[in-house]
Amino acid sequence: MLILPTEAVEAAEAPLNYFLYSDGPAAKPTMYLGWVLTGLSLAICLIITLLLLAALIRKRPKMDQRAIGNEGKGIHWIYIGTGISTLILFGLVIYSFMVVNKVAKPSQPTMLAFTVTGYGWWWKIEYEHDDPAQRFVTANELHIPVGQPVRIKLKSADVIHAFWVPKLAGKTQMVPGLINQQWLQADRPGIYSGQCVQFCGVGHAHMGLEVVAERAEDFEKWLVAQQQMAASSAISNEKPGYELFMERCAGCHTIRGTDAQGKHAPDLTHLNSRHRIAAGLLMNTPDQLMEWIMHAQKLKPGSRMPSFALSEQEASVLASFLSTLD
Ligand code: HEC
Ligand SMILES: [Cu+2]
């Protein structure tokens, strides 16, 4: 089971629209730009409203008393107004360029790199490493060490998706046939919610992910655990469930260290280390897990995971086999 610091659990409860506050250097400059633009727009609206009101209620001389030749008198105000607006807009252009430059790449070199591939409707996450034996695949939950920039390559297996973890970085599209890049960094430990933000079909709303930012030693522990194959003792002890899995599930799912090598569904080797299943739709509890396996099509219509009509006995052996996948 994954044990999270209480701080992390609190952060996970913060709604996704908390992009008004951010927690890392890839997101902060854009957040400040957003504040400045909002503040300035409000100030301009206010000033224009006041000027308009002043113009409306201002006392005017009667028509027949207006001096001839007075028509062009206020023109210098037009020049002043246009001048100030131009200066402000020009200043904002420069400020925006500075922000874009600042979030373009991290200030220190990145040690860690992942590839995230968008599928309808979940995320495959591959940890890269120079040594192929240390690479591994997981799904929907990206772990990163606190205070370190990480590099992410973004791909798509089907249609256009977009990767967005609002508190940590801006959104980046995942386009089939292209590799886009993004970096992010979390300054505080916590769970940061993300979401696909490019409409990608009927399951789009249920395509969430979580970024778990941990202290270096917790991250290291997690990394080592993920690199392991599934425990072979568990497989031999849970034979009936294992066989059922091989028969029904192995064509799509991988469990490293077994013959299950399906590539186009979430890697289940360390299923129980994950906090949620089905890209954020359900919590990873034994009940919700079985609910998902038997009713995936009802819970996430159109998903590539079929619903399985399992007998009570099949469900129970499968559940006890799946419970070994920590
Ligand atoms: C036809 C391919 C296919 C088969 C067969 C299949 N699955 Fe899946 N499974 C998927 C896909 C695709 C997903 C991702 C669905 C999503 O989140 O949109 C998935 C998701 C899951 C998840 C959630 C994983 C996570 O981390 O979110 C579990 C658990 C799971 N499947 C278990 C099983 C079990 C157990 C069986 C056999 C009884 C099975 N699957 C058979 C394709 C398949
Ligand atoms: Cu989408």
Side-chain angles (χ1 to χ4, degrees):
M1 265 330 275
L2 179 70
I3 296 161
L4 294 157
T6 42
E7 198 181 348
V9 174
E10 276 161 25
E13 280 154 13
L16 190 67
N17 62 11
Y18 263 33
F19 60 87
L20 284 175
Y21 307 95
S22 56
D23 264 325
K28 279 217 163 105
T30 354
M31 173 189 75
Y32 293 135
L33 178 66
W35 288 359
V36 168
L37 289 179
T38 312
L40 210 64
S41 311
L42 288 176
I44 289 172
C45 282
L46 193 73
I47 291 169
I48 291 178
T49 313
L50 289 177
L51 288 175
L52 208 65
L53 282 176
L56 282 173
I57 59 183
R58 188 173 67 113
K59 227 174 144 211
R60 295 178 181 72
K62 290 229 172 62
M63 205 53 177
D64 53 349
Q65 287 168 6
R66 280 188 195 167
I68 297 167
N70 229 0
E71 290 83 14
K73 233 180 136 194
I75 197 80
H76 66 283
W77 284 112
I78 307 271
Y79 294 136
I80 293 173
T82 316
I84 294 177
S85 316
T86 311
L87 279 180
I88 292 178
L89 285 175
F90 193 66
L92 284 178
V93 169
I94 294 178
Y95 178 30
S96 307
F97 279 142
M98 282 163 61
V99 169
V100 169
N101 183 44
K102 208 159 177 188
V103 299
K105 54 181 188 307
S107 55
Q108 38 172 317
T110 49
M111 312 295 285
L112 276 166
F114 323 106
T115 300
V116 178
T117 309
Y119 280 80
W121 295 282
W122 61 281
W123 316 80
K124 179 195 248 175
I125 300 172
E126 291 164 272
Y127 276 63
E128 292 174 12
H129 202 283
D130 295 337
D131 173 7
Q134 309 231 23
R135 293 179 198 155
F136 63 88
V137 180
T138 176
N140 303 331
E141 195 177 290
L142 187 73
H143 284 237
I144 62 172
V146 164
Q148 250 191 57
V150 300
R151 205 154 25 89
I152 302 178
K153 282 188 200 151
L154 297 165
K155 300 200 282 192
S156 169
D158 38 44
V159 298
I160 301 178
H161 301 279
F163 178 90
W164 194 34
V165 186
K167 279 186 148 187
L168 300 182
K171 79 163 197 174
T172 306
Q173 283 195 321
M174 312 167 97
V175 182
L178 262 186
I179 299 179
N180 279 339
Q181 298 260 5
Q182 150 129 83
W183 68 282
L184 41 87
Q185 174 175 337
D187 287 339
R188 286 190 310 130
I191 302 180
Y192 299 91
S193 313
Q195 171 67 36
C196 175
V197 278
Q198 174 72 53
F199 181 70
C200 55
V202 33
H204 168 64
H206 296 310
M207 186 169 168
L209 83 155
E210 280 182 345
V211 175
V212 181
E214 304 170 297
R215 273 173 276 273
E217 51 297 359
D218 295 336
F219 174 74
E220 211 44 54
K221 250 189 248 162
W222 177 87
L223 200 66
V224 169
Q226 295 289 315
Q227 285 164 344
Q228 309 303 313
M229 306 274 172
S232 54
S233 60
I235 292 163
S236 50
N237 293 343
E238 302 291 344
K239 207 117 190 101
Y242 174 72
E243 275 162 7
L244 187 64
F245 187 92
M246 286 301 147
E247 192 185 302
R248 307 270 183 93
C249 324
C252 293
H253 291 282
T254 292
I255 296 181
R256 277 173 275 140
T258 74
D259 291 337
Q261 294 294 328
K263 288 282 174 271
H264 295 287
D267 184 302
L268 300 181
T269 314
H270 299 291
L271 172 65
N272 297 321
S273 73
R274 297 203 274 274
H275 181 218
R276 288 167 181 272
I277 49 170
L281 182 63
L282 301 170
M283 296 307 291
N284 192 2
T285 62
D287 288 349
Q288 300 208 4
L289 180 61
M290 288 320 286
E291 192 60 22
W292 167 251
I293 292 165
M294 296 172 75
H295 307 288
Q297 287 302 314
K298 201 172 113 210
L299 293 163
K300 203 191 247 194
S303 157
R304 309 291 191 275
M305 160 100 180
S307 296
F308 287 88
L310 300 172
S311 70
E312 216 165 281
Q313 194 246 344
E314 286 173 324
S316 109
V317 295
L318 188 62
S320 80
F321 168 65
L322 293 175
S323 74
T324 66
L325 303 172
D326 328 281

